[in-house]
Amino acid sequence: MKISTYLCNMRAVIQRVSKASVTINGTVKSSIGWGFLILLGVCNEDTIEDVEWLVKKIANLRVFGDENDVMNRSILDVKGEALVVSQFTLYASYKKGNRPSWFRAGSHEHSIPLYEAFCKELSGQLAKPVATGEFGADMKVELLNDGPVTICMDTKNKE
């Protein structure tokens, strides 16, 4: 008998954007200018330590251009904005059939507090409010990807 030892991890897709917004039921809930749109996935094994590690990595990610147009500045350096959107579909399992399942995505009870902690921690790092989506809502996300620059991170790869 084979025992699965799959360990889940917090996941983020970070997109450098010129602007981004979230619309719910035809009303814009949040919008930002230059900065990061962050799609965040939480699983049941994630902890506050994962939140802290991921926020620190994102806040210090050097993907903004310097005076020589080299990606050498962080969102902190350029005083950029951030929009964080919960994204359980980052845990899509597509191995069986063509309809994905999301059994690895965290429960609402576990994910909401970590999503909120992530937003609060990032806001503290940036020293400004972080724009958000609405957990569990049907959101329309609009963005103008700058570059394009898109980075995928997860807390399993901390080393």
Side-chain angles (χ1 to χ4, degrees), residues 20-159:
S21 64
V22 172
T23 300
I24 302 169
N25 295 324
T27 302
V28 175
K29 180 187 185 303
S30 298
S31 64
I32 63 166
W34 199 41
F36 285 152
L37 168 63
I38 302 166
L39 306 176
L40 183 70
V42 177
C43 70
N44 285 326
E45 289 81 13
D46 291 329
T47 66
I48 196 68
E49 288 79 18
D50 293 310
V51 167
E52 292 166 352
W53 181 86
L54 194 55
V55 165
K56 185 176 179 182
K57 286 301 271 190
I58 291 171
N60 291 288
L61 183 64
R62 297 183 332 179
V63 295
F64 292 90
D66 64 14
E67 62 279 351
N68 297 315
D69 206 25
V70 174
M71 285 193 224
N72 205 24
R73 291 189 176 148
S74 70
I75 193 169
L76 296 169
D77 297 328
V78 301
K79 300 184 181 355
E81 298 179 275
L83 169 58
V84 182
V85 177
S86 62
Q87 188 79 28
F88 76 93
T89 60
L90 293 177
Y91 291 101
S93 176
Y94 46 84
K95 291 184 179 187
K96 293 182 180 180
N98 294 316
R99 184 172 184 261
S101 68
W102 292 277
F103 67 93
R104 291 189 178 121
S107 67
H108 276 63
E109 296 77 24
H110 184 76
S111 299
I112 291 172
L114 288 178
Y115 169 77
E116 291 172 349
F118 180 93
C119 294
K120 182 178 180 181
E121 183 79 14
L122 185 59
S123 177
Q125 286 281 322
L126 299 180
K128 64 173 70 174
V130 168
T132 63
E134 183 178 311
F135 200 94
D138 180 17
M139 297 175 275
K140 307 302 179 208
V141 180
E142 188 173 4
L143 68 131
L144 181 56
N145 197 319
D146 180 21
V149 174
T150 302
I151 308 284
C152 299
M153 286 187 183
D154 64 61
T155 57
K156 183 174 78 174
N157 294 312
K158 291 180 183 176
E159 304 299 317

